[in-house]
């Protein structure tokens, strides 16, 4: 399946910036390009490149606006490489999960790509990830975020996202990571709705393999009550969870009592921050595979039970964002969302963990 001609641009001089990727494209064969927004290079192997979406951007992180992409015409991963002049010399399967597989591709001109594929549409699986990575990139230059070249349907019922391949190291300097995440949380939102005080995201996305709704709402408590815990409980269909949750809502005035005396403002959240999504790249902390939305910064720590954040991390984070009163009570609520999601994905002991957290919320309220 070829790429439609309406998406072909022959570049003869001016810089064009392709959406999602921040990739500057110049004409010229086998050119090595300096990216205008980052200190890395990318090889371009052809004068004629298939550009899925064009979004002109300028300035430094925090100055460019997020934009919903125009949906490209479906094509296969192989056709995308061919249309962009990349001849693939090697591919390596990197494993995957129950909802996506991962492959590393290397072109003859040395550019390496990381590709995730899924059996669902790009709109369901990857559009939110692409926009999420862009939103994190906009927030701070303290984090190394992988560039996204495209996400698209493959034309045969599946989809993919193509990113730069990064050589990842360990979790690195935890104090630096803490500071970097704090700067991300403190950044002015890129989305206009979030600037106006609303919580949510431009698109729905996924948390693991579960649909995550992100409808804009100017009330954080209602947003988390309905679109996070309420959504997971509907999927779980467990009478005991529902019974305890109803009592929690009655006892806390619909969760409002957990937020008395604090100000909640929209921060861009990675949304699924655990050890498997944290590394270092090019000497900087690197986070990836997000489930982004704009929310209360404390909600970021709902996956802390899988992250291993130590005293050095929290020292760096708390240098910039002090702990608010009631943090421990709210942390139970935020962990509950992820334990319920794990139950909905995997079953097993996650139900017991969810019931324990629900009971703790009820007991401590």
């Amino acid at each position: 399946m070829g790429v439609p001609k309406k998406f072909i641009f022959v570049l003869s001089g001016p810089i064009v910036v392709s959406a999602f990727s921040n990739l500057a494209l110049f004409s010229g064969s086998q050119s090595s390009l300096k990216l205008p927004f980052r200190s890395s290079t990318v090889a371009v192997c052809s004068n004629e490149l298939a550009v899925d979406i064009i979004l002109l951007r300028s300035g430094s992180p925090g100055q460019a606006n997020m934009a919903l992409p125009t949906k490209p015409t479906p094509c296969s991963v192989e056709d995308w490489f061919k249309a962009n002049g990349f001849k693939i010399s090697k591919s390596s399967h990197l494993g995957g999960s129950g909802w996506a597989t991962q492959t590393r591709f290397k072109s003859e001109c040395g550019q390496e790509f990381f590709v995730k594929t899924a059996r669902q549409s790009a709109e369901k699986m990857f559009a939110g990830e692409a926009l999420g990575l862009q939103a994190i990139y906009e927030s701070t230059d303290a984090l190394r975020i992988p560039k996204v070249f495209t996400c698209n349907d493959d034309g045969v019922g599946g989809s993919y996202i193509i990113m730069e391949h990064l050589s990842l190291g360990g979790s690195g300097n935890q104090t630096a990571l803490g500071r970097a995440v704090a700067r991300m949380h403190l950044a002015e939102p890129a989305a206009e709705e979030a600037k106006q005080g609303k919580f949510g995201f431009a698109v729905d996305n996924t948390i693991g393999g579960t649909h995550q709704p992100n409808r804009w709402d100017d009330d954080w408590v209602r947003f988390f009550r309905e679109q996070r815990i309420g959504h997971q409980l509907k999927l779980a269909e467990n009478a005991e969870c529902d019974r305890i949750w109803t009592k929690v809502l009655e006892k806390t005035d619909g969760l409002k009592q957990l937020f008395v005396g604090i100000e909640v403002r929209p921060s861009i959240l990675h949304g699924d921050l655990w050890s498997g999504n944290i590394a270092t790249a090019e000497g900087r902390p690197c986070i990836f595979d997000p489930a982004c939305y704009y929310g209360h910064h404390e909600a970021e720590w709902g996956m802390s039970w899988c992250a291993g954040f130590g005293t050095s991390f929290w020292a760096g984070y708390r240098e910039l964002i002090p702990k608010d009163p009631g943090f421990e009570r709210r942390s139970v609520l935020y962990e509950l969302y992820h334990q319920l999601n794990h139950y909905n994905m995997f079953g097993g002991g996650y139900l017991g963990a969810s019931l324990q957290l629900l009971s703790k919320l009820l007991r401590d309220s």
Side-chain angles (χ1 to χ4, degrees):
M1 182 181 297
V3 179
K5 291 297 183 184
K6 67 178 180 178
F7 289 108
I8 300 295
F9 297 82
V10 179
L11 308 179
S12 58
I15 298 174
V16 177
V17 180
S18 106
F20 295 153
S21 65
N22 309 316
L23 171 63
L25 305 176
F26 292 83
S27 64
S29 178
Q30 299 288 330
S31 299
S32 181
L33 308 180
K34 286 289 184 181
L35 300 181
F37 307 116
R38 308 188 190 182
S39 60
S40 55
T41 61
V42 62
V44 176
C45 303
S46 174
N47 286 349
E48 186 173 282
L49 298 114
V51 181
D52 297 319
I53 311 142
I54 296 297
L55 172 65
L56 297 179
R57 301 173 57 179
S58 62
S60 58
Q63 292 181 323
N65 293 323
M66 283 182 61
L68 284 173
T70 302
K71 187 175 181 180
T73 300
C75 70
S76 68
V77 172
E78 292 76 13
D79 283 340
W80 187 90
F81 284 132
K82 289 177 183 178
N84 283 279
F86 292 107
K87 294 182 179 180
I88 299 302
S89 60
K90 184 178 180 181
S91 64
S92 305
H93 180 62
L94 301 178
S97 61
W99 46 88
T101 59
Q102 304 168 0
T103 307
R104 175 183 180 180
F105 290 90
K106 185 174 183 178
S107 71
E108 290 182 352
C109 62
Q111 179 72 5
E112 292 187 315
F113 301 88
F114 177 73
V115 179
K116 289 167 47 174
T117 58
R119 293 184 293 273
Q120 299 185 61
S121 70
E123 181 179 3
K124 289 182 178 179
M125 289 302 300
F126 298 129
E129 179 174 358
L131 285 175
L133 288 168
Q134 178 177 320
I136 295 174
Y137 165 73
E138 301 294 354
S139 69
T140 179
D141 59 3
L143 291 163
R144 178 64 169 94
I145 306 302
K147 294 181 288 289
V148 179
F149 299 117
T150 190
C151 68
N152 197 5
D153 295 324
D154 61 13
V156 291
S159 63
Y160 56 86
I161 183 170
I162 301 178
M163 294 176 269
E164 65 173 329
H165 180 272
L166 296 178
S167 296
L168 300 177
S171 56
N173 186 312
Q174 289 293 290
T175 304
L177 174 63
R179 291 193 194 104
V181 175
R183 291 190 180 103
M184 178 180 76
H185 290 165
L186 289 171
E188 181 183 3
E192 287 300 322
E193 293 87 346
K195 289 180 181 178
Q196 296 165 11
K198 295 182 179 180
F199 305 91
F201 201 55
V203 297
D204 290 354
N205 48 25
T206 57
I207 177 72
T210 308
H211 173 249
Q212 179 170 264
N214 291 312
R215 185 175 63 256
W216 292 108
D217 196 322
D218 58 10
D219 186 323
W220 168 249
V221 174
R222 180 173 59 208
F223 175 91
F224 202 84
R225 185 179 65 232
E226 297 178 0
Q227 297 192 61
R228 291 297 179 261
I229 304 299
H231 173 66
Q232 292 288 348
L233 286 172
K234 286 179 183 178
L235 296 176
E237 296 183 326
N238 182 274
E240 183 64 6
C241 286
D242 291 341
R243 184 187 69 80
I244 302 175
W245 179 242
T246 298
K247 289 191 173 186
V248 169
L249 295 181
E250 291 173 352
K251 196 172 179 181
T252 61
D253 188 19
L255 301 180
K256 293 178 183 178
Q257 290 183 7
L258 299 181
F259 295 86
V260 172
I262 68 166
E263 178 185 3
V264 179
R265 56 177 290 273
S267 296
I268 187 64
L269 306 181
H270 176 281
D272 193 15
L273 198 59
W274 66 289
S275 58
N277 293 337
I278 301 170
T280 54
E282 300 170 3
R284 280 186 287 170
C286 176
I287 59 177
F288 45 89
D289 200 14
C292 285
Y293 63 100
Y294 288 94
H296 185 202
H297 66 273
E298 291 180 2
E300 192 76 274
W301 315 123
M303 280 293 290
S304 291
W305 50 286
C306 283
F309 296 129
T311 55
S312 296
F313 172 87
W314 286 113
Y317 187 82
R318 294 300 180 202
E319 282 179 14
L320 300 176
I321 302 181
K323 183 191 294 188
D324 281 330
F327 171 83
E328 286 76 13
R329 293 176 67 200
R330 291 185 297 275
S331 67
V332 177
L333 175 69
Y334 292 142
E335 181 181 339
L336 174 62
Y337 173 62
H338 291 277
Q339 292 285 1
L340 283 169
N341 182 54
H342 276 64
Y343 172 63
N344 285 323
M345 290 192 295
F346 307 119
Y350 294 109
L351 175 59
S354 298
L355 287 168
Q356 288 179 9
L357 291 170
L358 281 163
S359 296
K360 183 172 178 57
L361 274 174
L362 181 62
R363 183 174 63 250
D364 296 344
S365 299

